[in-house]
Amino acid sequence: MLKLKNYIDGELVEPASKMYIDNYQPATGAVFSKIPNSDEKDVQQAVAAAEVAFQTWSITPKDERARVLNKIADLIEQNADKLAQAESQDNGKPLKLAQKVDIPRARDNFRFFATGIMHFASESHAMENTAVNYTLRKPLGTVGCISPWNLPLYLFTWKIAPALAAGNCVVAKPSEVTPVTAYLLSELCIEAGLPKGVLNIVHGLGGSAGSAIVNHPDVKAISFTGGTQTGKAIARAAAPEFKKLSLELGGKNPNIIFADCDFELAVKTSVMSSFANQGQICLCGSRIFVERSIYEKFKTEFVSRVNNMVVSHPDDPKANLGAVVSKPHKEKILSYIDLAREEGGTILTGGEEVVLEGDYKNGYYIRPTVIEGLDYACRTNQEEIFGPVVTLTPFDSEEEVLKMANSTDYGLAATVWTENLKRAHRIARDLESGIIWINCWLLRDLRTPFGGMKSSGVGREGGFEALKFFTEPKNVCIMY
Ligand code: NDP
């Protein structure tokens, strides 16, 4: 059985406690690997190693940092099949999704920030005849990166790559639910010649290893992606130390379909934006609002396509949906489907577990579920489910749909379908979301600011936003 190790000071090491946690394979429900149950001691070692490494890494020329990061990207590419297999096994997602999305994006994160740092320049402000200001940007020191289970290597590297490119050293913790590709990354970092201590990966639980990173006084900044409640706990812990925080949290995203949309594209993309990765993407559109004049037409077409979706084990090339990530998560999703029934919703399709045969009979599978007839303000429509469950709600006017779309505590992403240019701009202006897609979904340019409003987070990732987050600006004013 695979036994993971921490990556501290350039070495793969056992946790100080010698304790391990079982890691379950969602497709089968069986334990397939053991994860270090790290604690404060491991985090202290990792931070100490990072502090020493920072003395050198922070002054290593940026083209050398870029060279090493590009080498890691090359190794991810060369090991793409192995990484995709591991991601699919650990998370339950269809193998073809890991091959097409997760692993290429992890590679691209390193390439993007390796080249990004070469183009990163700081500002200069001239004061006519008096003085000139310029801004120096320096890396922060040791930073903490904590990531969730839904896009494991993709989101882990989205934080680590800019932090390292900017000259910081990192202590990182992947989700304990999906740690395997982070472990494989540590092997690739050794092979790439990343200097020891520059990146340290500590496996374990959020409440012990995660909070030890957040609370360590030498950790200058925390970049966290995960649930809103965890984000609040991290913000509370980090505030008294004045640590820099980037928090990418939950969402309850609206998908708004006007009667004048490109109907085929809207239906096709909505199937994907509802159920990709079993609905476990923070950007999935879980509340679908449809203009009343096309509501019945959209519902019929959408439900018929969802009915044809194949729920199967991740290695099945026909699988549209694989397993959800864990047994507790499966139970949480099913409890929300029960809640929707109690709240008066009608299940149009799905609404139940799928039991596969043979080795997969104990896996965690749920049919893609479409619900209608719920009030926009009910709990099913306000709380994040983070699974293959969407609701359909008709609307009559722009004003009404904006009110419903903006009614949640969240404000991460929104999708709008309309061929009316003026309306598209109006709605984009008035939606309370950090990310808005018009007539598309999940089209990503890594240079753009990425993040949410309200309870969906604080700060933005991506492009120079990330490099700014991971550096401290210092203004120098020189009088002529
Ligand atoms: P969690 O908040 O449960 O966990 C995220 C990470 O934080 C895990 O590594 C977890 O460890 C760790 N953690 C938990 N408690 C603490 C703590 N007190 N201190 C430090 N670290 C801690 O989120 P999930 O893993 O369940 O991920 C799903 C959530 O992530 C959803 O809400 C989703 O919307 C959000 N998300 C947001 C995205 C965005 O860009 N805005 C993108 C993707 C997901 P452990 O696994 O051991 O609990």
Side-chain angles (χ1 to χ4, degrees), residues 223-254:
S223 174
F224 168 80
T225 299
T228 294
Q229 289 313 318
T230 317
K232 277 187 189 173
I234 289 175
R236 270 195 297 270
E241 303 291 327
F242 307 113
K243 295 187 186 203
K244 262 183 129 172
L245 277 184
S246 167
L247 302 174
E248 300 296 334
L249 310 176
K252 186 75 179 176
N253 308 311

Side-chain angles (χ1 to χ4, degrees), residues 146-151 155 173-177 204-207 209-212 214 224-231 233-234 247-251 280-283 384 386 412 450-452 456 461:
I146 301 176
S147 60
W149 48 256
N150 62 327
L151 300 166
L155 290 174
K173 191 193 89 64
S175 169
E176 139 258 340
V177 182
L205 299 169
S211 69
V214 173
F224 168 80
T225 299
T228 294
Q229 289 313 318
T230 317
I234 289 175
L247 302 174
E248 300 296 334
L249 310 176
Q280 302 165 139
I281 302 181
C282 53
L283 307 164
E384 186 183 42
F386 214 56
L412 185 55
F450 179 91
S456 290
E461 298 186 313

